[in-house]
Amino acid sequence: MRRSFAFVCCAVLVVLAGCSGGGPTTETAASTASPTATPTAEATDAEPGSDLNLSVGVTVTGDQLARAHAATLRNESYTLVSDFGGGSTVTRVDGTGLARIAPPHRSFVYRAAGVTYRNRSTLVERRYLARPTRANVSTGAGVLGDFSIRFEVVETTTVDDERRAIMRRAAARANASDPRPYYRLVATDSGLVRNYTHGVSRPDHGLAVTESFTVSNVGETTFERPDWLTRLREAPVDGATDTGTVVVERPELDARLQVVGAVRNLRDVGLRENWDDWLAEGIVAEAGVSPVVNPVVRDRSANATVTVGYDESRLPDGASERNVSLFVYNESVGTYVQMHTTVDTGADTATATRAHEVTYSSGGGPEETVRPTIAHPLGRPVVVAMHVPTYYEAWRGG
């Protein structure tokens, strides 16, 4: 059977408790002294926020909150909506640690465990990339950890049976006529920061928010994974050597190319239809059972694998599909060389990476041995699926 390869100003734009809920209850107290939450040494088995005391009047540092916040979200699914001056980015993290990131005005990016996955498809080709990255999936903790400043719990509230502490920056009040920094956080007892807002408050202009984030749907966030991502997650990626994987598919050619190599060279990888008539004539016209394609892989050290769909109706009567193989044209030998091929008779596809070794002599000179691959410094290998007996019979007869 066949298969195709297929600076924002506002009054005080702060939500009191970080999300909607029924009937919050509030506790407030004016403090004349500010008790301090003293952190304890982190233990691997300690509960998130075990070093925090978020009672009214207590102060905590941004670093304390960052550690507790990150620990609370570790191994949890959650939704983070952040705005650090460039528009809102929505990050959804599922229970496996895979994140779907939607930056403003750009396509989705998927990230997990030091790897970023991107879809760069066009109307003509499908292109998918897996590359190493040093960027971790954001929890918002990075913003909190940037500050050694202290935050004071000014009141508490309860939303949906969850107690939340409302904190503001613990600092002396500036001159009433001067602009002053504004910080507001809403956190749970475990240290999970539900809402963070930072900006500048001006007496005559209100609040200008410069960065903010909210966290919701903890333990309940899911998203649908596209088919290409499911397949690409098994692709080789190595941060130590900056090695990544690109997959290029051309549906109209029924062809697919996967290349593992240096990330800096993956942008040059392509898959095209062959335009050299002489490479598709003669023996190829007789024995060929697929389009003639041109994999473009200029990095000789890359590991490139090509898959081409074949048309079984083009096979000779009674011929076995097991006798289909991919061939690559080699300029040194001056002919097509059979490749080590895996045939999927159910999907009508042939897949190969390397050709067999070939020994040849040019102009009566010494014998040389080559093993052609798809990678070529000029990026011009030509690959076609052919019926092996028909090819060799026509080659001997020619």
Side-chain angles (χ1 to χ4, degrees):
M1 60 182 173
R2 297 293 298 141
R3 179 177 68 86
S4 292
F5 291 109
F7 146 113
V8 179
C9 294
C10 55
V12 179
L13 50 70
V14 178
V15 179
L16 179 64
C19 71
S20 60
T25 60
T26 305
E27 170 195 2
T28 61
S31 59
T32 56
S34 296
T36 299
T38 304
T40 59
E42 274 192 300
T44 56
D45 57 350
E47 288 293 322
S50 59
D51 63 341
L52 292 179
N53 171 16
L54 299 185
S55 300
V56 172
V58 169
T59 64
V60 296
T61 66
D63 180 62
Q64 283 178 274
L65 285 171
R67 288 187 286 111
H69 177 78
T72 303
L73 293 179
R74 188 177 298 126
N75 301 322
E76 284 281 7
S77 66
Y78 60 91
T79 299
L80 171 74
V81 180
S82 56
D83 189 337
F84 300 134
S88 293
T89 295
V90 180
T91 301
R92 290 185 171 88
V93 183
D94 68 13
T96 70
L98 178 66
R100 180 180 188 240
I101 305 170
H105 317 302
R106 286 184 287 170
S107 58
F108 295 122
V109 173
Y110 296 85
R111 184 173 295 157
V115 182
T116 294
Y117 306 91
R118 295 181 182 273
N119 180 346
R120 298 297 196 193
S121 298
T122 67
L123 294 175
V124 176
E125 71 174 17
R126 301 168 187 162
R127 177 179 291 266
Y128 312 115
L129 176 68
R131 62 173 298 166
T133 181
R134 295 180 181 178
N136 294 320
V137 175
S138 178
T139 62
V143 177
L144 303 172
D146 283 345
F147 301 110
S148 58
I149 59 178
R150 311 192 74 85
F151 299 96
E152 180 181 359
V153 181
V154 295
E155 61 181 295
T156 63
T157 187
T158 301
V159 177
D160 294 335
D161 298 323
E162 181 180 73
R163 180 182 176 276
R164 301 180 183 181
I166 300 172
M167 291 173 278
R168 297 188 187 276
R169 183 179 182 183
R173 180 181 292 273
N175 187 298
S177 62
D178 294 336
R180 56 194 179 102
Y182 176 93
Y183 293 90
R184 183 180 185 278
L185 294 82
V186 179
T188 68
D189 285 336
S190 67
L192 170 65
V193 178
R194 289 285 189 180
N195 177 276
Y196 162 82
T197 305
H198 171 216
V200 177
S201 178
R202 289 179 169 81
D204 299 330
H205 299 283
L207 173 65
V209 176
T210 56
E211 57 185 16
S212 65
F213 72 75
T214 60
V215 174
S216 62
N217 297 324
V218 178
E220 300 176 354
T221 296
T222 61
F223 54 83
E224 186 176 349
R225 301 184 186 185
D227 291 341
W228 68 266
L229 177 62
T230 300
R231 288 183 274 123
L232 199 61
R233 289 204 71 188
E234 302 299 322
V237 176
D238 186 347
T241 59
D242 199 29
T243 297
T245 299
V246 64
V247 174
V248 180
E249 296 176 351
R250 291 289 296 268
E252 84 282 9
L253 298 178
D254 204 6
R256 180 177 187 266
L257 175 65
Q258 176 171 309
V259 178
V260 180
V263 171
R264 65 181 180 276
N265 296 325
L266 296 181
R267 69 182 64 185
D268 297 325
V269 171
L271 187 58
R272 305 168 184 164
E273 183 176 7
N274 171 62
W275 293 104
D276 292 322
D277 292 341
W278 65 275
L279 287 169
E281 295 173 344
I283 297 175
V284 176
E286 258 185 84
V289 292
S290 79
V292 182
V293 299
N294 173 204
V296 182
V297 187
R298 295 188 172 90
D299 181 2
R300 291 298 297 266
S301 64
N303 183 3
T305 300
V306 65
T307 298
V308 180
Y310 61 86
D311 183 354
E312 56 185 295
S313 69
R314 295 171 61 179
L315 292 169
D317 290 341
S320 171
E321 292 179 61
R322 295 292 180 186
N323 284 328
V324 170
S325 179
L326 289 181
F327 287 73
V328 60
Y329 185 83
N330 182 260
E331 294 174 330
S332 298
V333 180
T335 189
Y336 280 91
V337 178
Q338 187 177 358
M339 306 184 75
H340 294 282
T341 303
T342 300
V343 176
D344 185 337
T345 58
D348 289 357
T349 60
T351 301
T353 298
R354 292 180 176 84
H356 296 276
E357 284 189 352
V358 177
T359 300
Y360 71 99
S361 175
S362 178
E367 288 188 344
E368 297 181 61
T369 300
V370 295
R371 173 173 283 178
T373 66
I374 301 167
H376 189 287
L378 300 179
R380 60 185 187 194
V382 176
V383 174
V384 61
M386 291 192 274
H387 180 240
V388 176
T390 303
Y391 171 78
Y392 284 116
E393 182 180 344
W395 186 77
R396 285 191 295 267

